Amino acid sequence: MHTALVALTPGEAARPELKAARVTEEKPVPVPVTRPSLYAPWWKSNEVITPSVIGGGASLLTAIGGIPWQNLLLILVAFGGMAGFLYWRKNADRKAVAKQVEGMA
């Protein structure tokens, strides 16, 4: 494979000092095998929760970190506006209900 890659580079194949590297040693690498929690419910299983939390958190941070600050500010202002509107509606409804209850008494 090395020889074929060198042959693709113009002028490199003609150099006699370039030789293909040989594999001289094979070393077995132990692969740890973890037994899945077959009898545990999914919310207690490390095979489900850990990747979900780590992957979800990392992707959320990456997504937020990739947003330009102007767009992020606009999103935060929009959420703040919605929260303010919902708070205002809740207070208006509370006052209207209190007025009706007061009128009944």
Side-chain angles (χ1 to χ4, degrees):
M1 182 185 248
H2 180 69
T3 309
L5 289 173
V6 169
L8 291 175
T9 308
E12 292 293 319
R15 293 177 40 190
E17 64 270 6
L18 288 177
K19 296 181 182 176
R22 297 186 147 246
V23 176
T24 57
E25 181 182 349
E26 285 189 23
K27 195 181 224 183
V29 178
V31 178
V33 178
T34 57
R35 181 171 179 231
S37 308
L38 296 176
Y39 302 108
W42 65 269
W43 63 87
K44 291 183 179 179
S45 172
N46 287 337
E47 287 81 18
V48 174
I49 297 298
T50 305
S52 300
V53 171
I54 292 173
S59 62
L60 179 65
L61 287 177
T62 303
I64 291 174
I67 298 175
W69 70 269
Q70 297 92 343
N71 295 356
L72 187 59
L73 182 64
L74 185 64
I75 291 169
L76 292 175
V77 166
F79 276 123
M82 286 188 294
F85 174 76
L86 291 174
Y87 181 76
W88 173 76
R89 283 299 309 158
K90 181 180 176 183
N91 277 340
D93 289 343
R94 183 183 51 81
K95 288 177 183 176
V97 169
K99 196 174 196 179
Q100 283 181 351
V101 169
E102 194 176 289
M104 292 175 155

